[in-house]
Amino acid sequence: MTQADGYLLDNRQSEAGQRFDAFARLFDPTTFRHLEAAGVSAGWRCWEVGAGGTSVVSWLAGKVGPSGKVVATDIDTSLLTAVARAPVEVRTHDVGAEEPPGEGFDLVHARLVLVHVPDRERALHAMIKALRPGGRLLVEDADPALQPLTCPYEYGPEQRLANRLRQGFRKLLAERGADLSYGRKLPRLLREAGLRDVEADAHFPVASPACTALEAATVRQIRDRLVTAGLATDADIDRHLANVESGTMDLATAPMISAWGRKE
């Protein structure tokens, strides 16, 4: 997706860094566990697709060392400048519209990326094309349709408001081409693309300070869009943010499904 497509969650907005920090706290342990299982080690060549933030790129750089390489790509690389040094190479790149930034990678990884890409099929095949024989693909993506609520336990007006705003967020995502049930499709898509030893699991944060931080940053980031679309009023959003910041709400994320396989 290009910036002209009206990507809902722009990396250049001030809340983007807060969202990436929250994602790191919520999902890095799961991602790093899968990357460890893939065997990432010194000398590996890795492509981090739609890198956005720096936590996974930095982890990979530490593993591959000076003899390896990490190519970190995104349509907006403004948050990656802090890690743009060997063995990391930062490139502006649209995975859904451009050829891969190289080939023969030992690992290709994307987290919370493809659900937003209009041409997901092309993107996935580009990622597989970039792997060497025997290389590993790890794709991790959300499935908001599998669990669509901010507050799975809806017991009061605060929770009902939170869930109404989440419905508005999902509507905005869908209007921009996001596939809200993409995560569950990943195992089949990886098998059909010819990968071997395909497996998958899911991580579903239900309540944590990082969930609270993510909710506040996301709502602030899409506030104007929600109001313009008639999906919420400024008063709704002010009330919800006050509820969130009170620290008394259990706020969930959509499940993140991780799927992995090996190229023959």
Side-chain angles (χ1 to χ4, degrees):
M1 181 177 290
T2 65
Q3 296 290 359
D5 292 321
Y7 181 42
L8 191 61
L9 299 165
D10 192 332
N11 286 2
R12 293 169 296 185
Q13 290 177 274
S14 60
E15 297 86 1
Q18 298 165 22
R19 295 183 71 253
F20 283 122
D21 287 345
F23 282 139
R25 283 181 280 159
L26 288 167
F27 298 123
D28 276 0
T30 297
T31 295
F32 295 164
R33 173 170 58 86
H34 289 308
L35 293 174
E36 287 276 14
V40 180
S41 58
W44 272 41
R45 297 182 70 251
C46 305
W47 176 19
E48 180 67 12
V49 181
T54 62
S55 63
V56 177
V57 175
S58 296
W59 188 93
L60 288 171
K63 287 291 183 179
V64 305
S67 61
K69 187 170 187 177
V70 179
V71 179
T73 64
D74 205 325
I75 57 173
D76 181 349
T77 60
S78 57
L79 297 178
L80 294 171
T81 54
V83 294
R85 58 184 178 274
V88 176
E89 177 184 341
V90 174
R91 295 193 194 181
T92 302
H93 179 266
D94 184 344
V95 69
E98 300 179 62
E99 287 298 304
E103 58 184 20
F105 287 102
D106 300 288
L107 170 81
V108 176
H109 172 244
R111 184 173 76 185
L112 305 174
V113 173
L114 296 189
V115 67
H116 299 289
V117 175
D119 197 343
R120 283 172 285 274
E121 182 177 2
R122 173 174 176 167
L124 184 61
H125 283 276
M127 292 162 62
I128 294 171
K129 177 182 177 182
L131 288 167
R132 66 166 175 81
R136 303 281 178 166
L137 177 69
L138 171 62
V139 183
E140 302 180 295
D141 237 314
D143 196 313
L146 190 62
Q147 196 299 108
L149 304 176
T150 299
C151 298
Y153 180 27
E154 187 181 86
Y155 61 89
E158 297 88 352
Q159 290 73 30
R160 286 191 289 274
L161 175 59
N163 287 339
R164 179 161 65 84
L165 294 183
R166 177 62 61 87
Q167 290 171 358
F169 180 36
R170 293 175 65 229
K171 179 177 173 62
L172 292 175
L173 286 172
E175 288 174 351
R176 284 158 179 77
D179 183 347
L180 301 181
S181 59
Y182 189 65
R184 74 190 73 175
K185 301 173 184 177
L186 286 171
R188 175 180 62 83
L189 293 173
L190 267 56
R191 285 194 304 272
E192 291 181 352
L195 295 187
R196 301 298 182 188
D197 305 324
V198 172
E199 297 183 52
D201 63 17
H203 179 55
F204 175 27
V206 174
S208 80
C211 288
T212 300
L214 178 62
E215 176 68 9
T218 301
V219 170
R220 287 193 176 97
Q221 196 166 7
I222 65 171
R223 176 182 191 129
D224 291 346
R225 307 264 194 165
L226 288 169
V227 172
T228 299
L231 297 169
T233 66
D234 280 314
D236 290 333
I237 294 171
D238 287 340
R239 187 164 68 254
H240 175 59
L241 288 172
N243 293 337
V244 169
E245 290 165 4
S246 73
T248 61
M249 299 181 71
D250 294 327
L251 302 164
T253 71
M256 183 183 75
I257 297 177
S258 303
W260 60 94
R262 176 179 55 84
K263 185 176 181 178
E264 280 198 307

